[in-house]
Amino acid sequence: MIRYVLVVIGWIAVALGVMGVFLPLLPTTPFLLLASACFMRGSPKLNQWLHQHPQLGPILVNWHQHGAVTSVVKRRGMIMIVLSFTFSIFMVPLWWHKAMLLTGMMVLLFCFNRLPVVELRPDSTSVAEPDENP
């Protein structure tokens, strides 16, 4: 019974992680890590599938090995944060909502920008490097 519950929680975490790719306030990596942990205990086959997934797997592997994201993931995340918050700022009518969204965007960009970056080398090894932006 516990295995089934873990698999269901894992699938919910995968769904939330995928939604997090498009929604800036919903983090992708923590949900994928939760899904991996649930699948590890509930279904090793699903855990293997998740780690070998072409889009989701590299995020997990980089985070497990280096505690970092690639510069491509970081750049896409920053772009999506700015686009979605900008859209929201234009859509809300009240000025204080706009101010709260702008403040939230700045805080999120600051925190997101502090994530360490790992660059993949052509020889398939990866080395964690500090981000160029202090």
Side-chain angles (χ1 to χ4, degrees), residues 35-87:
S36 178
C38 289
F39 287 160
M40 239 187 297
R41 290 165 186 81
S43 172
K45 188 183 277 190
L46 285 174
N47 186 49
Q48 182 180 5
W49 167 82
L50 186 61
H51 280 266
Q52 293 175 349
H53 190 275
Q55 281 77 35
L56 305 177
I59 295 171
L60 285 169
V61 170
N62 285 334
W63 193 260
H64 281 299
Q65 290 180 355
H66 307 289
V69 296
T70 64
S71 60
V72 172
V73 168
K74 195 170 186 178
R75 183 173 47 252
R76 286 181 187 162
M78 301 272 278
I79 290 169
M80 290 304 293
I81 289 169
V82 170
L83 288 176
S84 61
F85 270 90
T86 302
F87 175 76

Side-chain angles (χ1 to χ4, degrees), residues 97-117:
H97 287 166
K98 293 177 188 285
M100 284 178 26
L101 284 167
L102 185 61
T103 302
M105 179 177 72
M106 292 300 153
V107 169
L108 186 58
L109 285 172
F110 174 78
C111 293
F112 193 77
N113 196 37
R114 294 179 49 123
L115 287 176
V117 174

